Amino acid sequence: MSKLTILEYPDPRLRTVAKPVTRFDAQLQTLIDDMAETMYAARGIGLAATQVDQHLRLLVLDVSESRDALQVFINPELLDRSGTLQQEEGCLSVPEIYAEVKRAETVTVRAQDASGEHLEQQLDGLAAICLQHEMDHLQGRLFVDYLSPIKRDMLKKKLARQRRQPAESVSA
Ligand code: NI
């Protein structure tokens, strides 16, 4: 396994729309393993392939306290969403910036696993937020896009100033 480089905002490659995964082979498994290692090393709770400059519809999550419950979603599609939740989010591609974003509280997702098997799962709370955040990455969208231009500009300046300070909250 190897740790991958995480692209950082405002890198234009983060705006790439990911393509569906069509080959469920050893190369895909290596990418999944590397993404998991990269996410754990960065102490994130989620990572989308877009963030490591691999433009495939693939994301990994682990919202467990014990950091041993990796979930892999390939070609994810939301079948249903309900409720609203507004919580502070962070992102490994936007270090040191946290902002409240409104998301669905519960989502039903259909996706494939590493072997191409279809799965359907209902997620809520933090897992649901994280999934929606990562699925946004696959569309080239970042959580800061939900903020007003003024707030986004302030955050950009803060980002430039604080780039070197260590993260304390969870990021995805
Ligand atoms: Ni993110």
Side-chain angles (χ1 to χ4, degrees), residues 14 18 25 32 59 155 160 162:
L14 287 168
D25 54 10
I32 293 167
L59 63 93
L155 291 180
Q162 298 194 341

Side-chain angles (χ1 to χ4, degrees), residues 128-140:
I129 290 174
C130 193
L131 180 81
Q132 291 168 86
H133 175 114
E134 304 312 334
M135 284 182 70
D136 274 355
H137 276 300
L138 301 180
Q139 297 291 344

Side-chain angles (χ1 to χ4, degrees), residues 61 103-107 123-133:
L61 302 185
R103 303 280 190 188
E105 187 178 10
T106 305
V107 295
L123 302 176
D124 54 26
L126 185 58
I129 290 174
C130 193
L131 180 81
Q132 291 168 86
H133 175 114

Side-chain angles (χ1 to χ4, degrees), residues 31-93:
L31 176 58
I32 293 167
D33 293 342
D34 289 348
M35 282 175 59
E37 186 181 344
T38 305
M39 176 184 74
Y40 287 123
R43 294 190 292 166
I45 58 170
L47 188 70
T50 310
Q51 293 176 274
V52 292
D53 203 22
Q54 296 291 320
H55 302 286
L56 293 169
R57 294 188 56 77
L58 157 65
L59 63 93
V60 294
L61 302 185
D62 188 345
V63 296
S64 71
E65 295 266 330
S66 46
R67 315 292 285 142
D68 60 356
L70 183 75
Q71 290 183 282
V72 179
F73 295 93
I74 300 169
N75 300 328
E77 301 294 340
L78 288 189
L79 300 179
D80 193 34
R81 61 184 87 199
S82 61
T84 335
L85 207 57
Q86 189 162 321
Q87 209 164 294
E88 195 165 76
E89 293 185 19
C91 179
L92 295 175
S93 293

